[in-house]
Amino acid sequence: MKHILKCLGGSRAYGLNNVGSDFDYRGIFIDTEINKVIISLDRFEHQQFKAGEQDEFYFELRHYLCSLRKTNSQALELLFIEQESIQEKSWEYDLIVKNRLSLIDVEKLYKSIKGYVFNEIRIAFGGITGPLGSKRKTAIENFGYSPKNVVQALRLMYSTGKLFSKGYFPVNILKEDSFFAGRLMRIKNSSKIFEINELREDIRIEEDILDRSFNNRSFNYKFNEDIANDLCLKIYSPVIQALITDQRIIELYAE
């Protein structure tokens, strides 16, 4: 296994962290034992570790590209992660970033984000009564809403709107817009001062900006299957070649 990207994720990547924020690490890896994946029942799609305040999640390359095709927001963030959040990276990751606009389907992303935000809002204001984390459940009981879900909905709409209007997806909200980041931090940390109608109006305004950005966009990026497959081939070719070489050595010794 080889990591081609390791970076900070979550609130520390968004510039929305506070003293108690966890350390979330995200990234992409390639499976250097790909022969086992090809010829066995194993599917090594991701790695996940959690210990105390540290959480790590890594996509295997092919799973990562498939996640981009599905417009997964965490996968999208890795295409635009700021340099200061990156812990490790390789030429393979740089190659992916070079082709990133060919790995985004804006129409599918728009529909996906709208659906995701709709669910986040329902959760945020108690419209979904399924299993919730204790902090979110307590917040809804105390304030009538979950600050974390409100912030998540606003952040995703803001960044996706920027993608449609400017062609890039800002991950670090504080770096992109300190005023908006300050608003999100006040919602996140001082929930008692906000009225539910005020938050719903914030969401309505941000959703309107998202809609207008999408409708007025000057481009129509599509996920390019050929480029995605070429990336898999270029990145995994050295691994496959090494495996072929190892097999030849084994065969020589067998003779």
Side-chain angles (χ1 to χ4, degrees), residues 23-154:
F23 283 86
D24 296 326
Y25 292 94
R26 301 290 179 260
I28 311 165
F29 71 91
I30 57 176
D31 188 355
T32 52
E33 295 187 28
I34 192 174
N35 57 322
K36 293 182 180 179
V37 176
I38 291 174
I39 64 174
S40 76
L41 299 179
D42 294 335
R43 294 194 66 186
F44 196 13
E45 293 185 344
H46 67 271
Q47 283 186 313
Q48 189 165 13
F49 312 99
K50 188 168 181 63
E53 296 181 352
Q54 184 165 314
D55 180 76
E56 301 185 40
F57 183 94
Y58 303 97
F59 294 93
E60 187 274 328
L61 173 66
R62 290 163 296 172
H63 181 52
Y64 174 68
L65 294 172
C66 287
S67 297
L68 283 176
R69 182 170 57 186
K70 296 176 182 177
T71 66
N72 177 286
S73 61
Q74 288 193 28
L76 178 64
E77 288 170 7
L78 296 185
L79 284 179
F80 292 90
I81 194 75
E82 276 80 3
Q83 185 63 40
E84 57 266 27
S85 294
I86 295 176
Q87 309 285 304
E88 303 171 17
K89 70 169 185 170
S90 67
W91 68 266
E92 293 97 334
Y93 170 70
D94 289 336
L95 185 61
I96 293 170
V97 170
K98 184 179 179 181
N99 292 277
R100 64 188 177 188
L101 295 182
S102 298
L103 301 173
I104 300 170
D105 188 312
V106 295
E107 291 186 7
K108 188 182 290 186
L109 176 62
Y110 173 70
K111 293 176 183 177
S112 177
I113 291 297
K114 290 279 284 189
Y116 181 86
V117 167
F118 176 77
N119 284 330
E120 283 292 292
I121 293 169
R122 288 183 66 201
I123 294 171
F125 297 107
I128 294 178
T129 57
L132 296 172
S134 59
K135 290 183 179 179
R136 298 190 194 199
K137 187 175 181 180
T138 300
I140 291 172
E141 290 173 352
N142 291 342
F143 312 130
Y145 64 93
S146 164
K148 186 170 184 178
N149 293 92
V150 172
V151 168
Q152 177 75 337
L154 290 170

Side-chain angles (χ1 to χ4, degrees), residues 147 150-151 154 183-191 194 199:
V150 172
V151 168
L154 290 170
R183 175 71 170 173
L184 295 185
M185 287 299 290
R186 287 191 294 275
I187 295 171
K188 179 179 177 179
N189 296 326
S190 306
S191 51
F194 290 94
L199 294 176

Side-chain angles (χ1 to χ4, degrees), residues 4 12 33 37 41 90 105 120 156 200 230 239 248:
I4 63 176
R12 293 183 183 276
E33 295 187 28
V37 176
L41 299 179
S90 67
D105 188 312
E120 283 292 292
L156 276 176
R200 286 191 180 276
D230 284 345
V239 177
R248 286 176 179 168

Side-chain angles (χ1 to χ4, degrees), residues 144-182:
Y145 64 93
S146 164
K148 186 170 184 178
N149 293 92
V150 172
V151 168
Q152 177 75 337
L154 290 170
R155 180 187 68 81
L156 276 176
M157 286 191 289
Y158 174 87
S159 294
T160 307
K162 287 290 184 181
L163 176 64
F164 296 149
S165 62
K166 304 293 185 181
Y168 68 94
F169 185 96
V171 178
N172 190 317
I173 303 298
L174 179 61
K175 183 178 177 181
E176 178 70 19
D177 186 335
S178 59
F179 179 82
F180 185 70

